[in-house]
Amino acid sequence: MRRLLLDTHVLLWWLAGDPRIGPRTLRLIRDGKNAVFVSAASAWEVSIKKAQGKLTTPREDLGVAIAEEGFVPLPITVPHGERAGGLPPLHRDPFDRMLVAQAQEEVLEVVTIDPAISRYGVPTVDAAA
């Protein structure tokens, strides 16, 4: 069993049926033996970008979509916040830094196309593969 944490862009691609997710990654996400997590940070990021008019989403209610897809919601905890705040400044995006912290704390692989995530030493899955 693998424990996967979807980066925000991968979550949105999944919900939209976007072909940028590669066949290997599709198999990993679809494999019922794997646990697929979605961070509260992703919901927060999507909500901010929607409110700014920078993003439209394939499904209006992200919480419902996550549940319907069988993904596991991952709340942000105090240890996640402390770890994110203590990360070296290798990545400037605070949402991605939170995903890194959560991956470290919860022992998760981040599914992403962002090469900066792996600079923190967390295992990653190339979403395009």
Side-chain angles (χ1 to χ4, degrees):
M1 178 181 98
R2 294 175 78 170
R3 295 167 46 84
L4 308 170
L5 175 59
L6 301 183
D7 200 341
T8 306
H9 61 273
V10 178
L11 171 65
L12 294 174
W13 291 352
W14 175 268
L15 295 176
D18 193 301
R20 287 179 278 190
I21 300 177
R24 178 179 170 271
T25 303
L26 286 172
R27 283 191 301 276
L28 285 173
I29 295 171
R30 288 180 180 143
D31 186 337
K33 296 178 196 149
N34 295 330
V36 180
F37 293 83
V38 174
S39 173
S42 290
W44 182 17
E45 180 179 16
V46 166
S47 295
I48 288 172
K49 290 180 178 177
K50 280 176 66 174
Q52 294 171 337
K54 295 180 181 180
L55 179 70
T56 58
T57 57
R59 308 260 292 273
E60 193 56 37
D61 189 326
L62 199 55
V64 169
I66 289 166
E68 288 176 351
E69 295 298 327
F71 298 155
V72 181
L74 181 61
I76 297 171
T77 66
V78 170
H80 295 156
E82 290 175 332
R83 186 175 285 254
L87 289 172
L90 303 176
H91 201 306
R92 296 183 58 192
D93 184 321
F95 299 107
D96 285 337
R97 291 167 59 84
M98 178 54 70
L99 295 181
V100 166
Q102 290 180 303
Q104 290 174 341
E105 284 287 315
E106 306 300 329
V107 190
L108 305 170
E109 298 175 76
V110 182
V111 182
T112 186
I113 60 163
D114 185 347
I117 301 269
S118 63
R119 293 174 52 200
Y120 285 99
V122 295
T124 59
V125 173
D126 178 1

